[in-house]
Amino acid sequence: MRVLVTRPAHSATRTAQRLRDMGHEPLLLPLRQPLHDSNAAADALAATSGAIAVTSAEAIRVLSALGEKLHPHLARPLFAVGETTAEEARSLGFRSVVSSQGNGRDLADLVAAEKPSTLLYLVGTPRAETFERRLRELNIHFSVAECYRMQPTVPDSAEIDAIFANGYPDAILFYSRQTTEDFFRLLEPLPALPKQSAIRLLCLSEAVAEAVPAALKKSVEISPMADEKSLLSLL
């Protein structure tokens, strides 16, 4: 099966190997790239104490650049969406990590059950605000530090031709609402996806699936949990 991966290049490389191991042919089309602000993360950590929350592994990658500055904070409780992000946090040295198996709303419910006295949310932009909205509903006080930005990238014509020269892939993996919107904007000058096509549009969550055009909703499949292992299980 030819599977198109739309996530950033550094993450897509790992996904590509997983797909090969499963017997599929990966096609990489990165549509966003991260711009890290490790100083913002360092300042936020220094100005706070208590629990930390992340809803993307990208925030953990920002922290990985802090080196020794991170060491005093590794004992702080860390809440993460998905076991993959939690494992990256543990690999970095965090000793008290818990994860939700759903989306940001589920993570907020988990935070509420643990009742931390303070909470620092390390975020990127743009982002879905599901986690923040739920925290407010639960009257949980938190601070936000924007420590990375996902910048759009525009593939050159050669990249696009190489992917679509032999027709559309059998499946497309979508990991965020923003990259899903980017993808369908990219396709506007190309021949439209056939409405009754066998192409499978595999989305990490319902929020991601909302960005798929209405005419193609019948081709959408949503991961049972918001992590890559669950998403790839749909193939």
Side-chain angles (χ1 to χ4, degrees):
M1 186 182 296
R2 299 170 72 241
V3 181
L4 181 63
V5 182
T6 60
R7 67 190 320 197
H10 65 284
S11 301
T13 300
R14 294 197 301 271
T15 300
Q17 187 57 54
R18 292 176 184 133
L19 289 169
R20 292 188 194 98
D21 292 344
M22 295 170 68
H24 302 298
E25 177 189 351
L27 306 169
L28 306 188
L29 187 67
L31 297 175
R32 296 264 166 162
Q33 63 180 4
L35 178 63
H36 292 177
D37 186 350
S38 57
N39 288 332
D43 291 345
L45 289 172
T48 61
S49 61
I52 299 166
V54 295
T55 52
S56 169
E58 201 62 53
I60 301 299
R61 298 184 191 109
V62 175
L63 295 179
S64 69
L66 298 184
E68 292 185 359
K69 291 181 180 179
L70 183 62
H71 292 176
H73 305 285
L74 293 175
R76 296 170 65 167
L78 188 142
F79 297 92
V81 168
E83 187 56 27
T84 299
T85 300
E87 281 301 320
E88 291 208 26
R90 293 185 188 104
S91 297
L92 194 55
F94 281 95
R95 299 189 287 276
S96 178
V97 180
V98 293
S99 64
S100 70
Q101 296 305 310
N103 57 19
R105 184 180 179 88
D106 297 319
L107 183 65
D109 290 339
L110 180 60
V111 170
E114 296 291 331
K115 299 179 180 178
S117 57
T118 61
L119 182 68
L120 169 64
Y121 181 27
L122 298 175
V123 305
T125 185
R127 65 183 179 277
E129 295 191 359
T130 308
F131 180 58
E132 291 159 90
R133 282 197 300 268
R134 182 57 175 161
L135 289 176
R136 294 187 187 101
E137 290 174 3
L138 295 168
N139 293 317
I140 296 172
H141 297 289
F142 63 98
S143 59
V144 173
E146 292 188 351
C147 58
Y148 66 93
R149 172 178 288 276
M150 298 304 295
Q151 296 184 314
T153 62
V154 180
D156 61 38
S157 58
E159 288 180 271
I160 297 172
D161 289 346
I163 290 172
F164 296 110
N166 297 317
Y168 285 104
D170 301 296
I172 305 173
L173 303 180
F174 294 113
Y175 290 80
S176 75
R177 185 185 184 99
Q178 290 76 30
T179 53
T180 307
E181 292 170 349
D182 292 342
F183 176 78
F184 287 104
R185 275 196 297 269
L186 180 69
L187 259 60
E188 287 176 359
L190 301 177
L193 282 173
K195 293 182 176 58
Q196 303 303 321
S197 170
I199 193 168
R200 302 171 66 194
L201 308 178
L202 309 184
C203 300
L204 190 67
S205 68
E206 290 188 12
V208 174
E210 289 173 358
V212 175
L216 298 170
K217 292 293 189 186
K218 290 183 178 179
S219 298
V220 169
E221 298 174 49
I222 299 173
S223 175
M225 291 187 287
D227 59 53
E228 184 171 73
K229 182 178 179 180
S230 297
L231 181 63
L232 297 185
S233 73
L234 298 175
L235 292 170

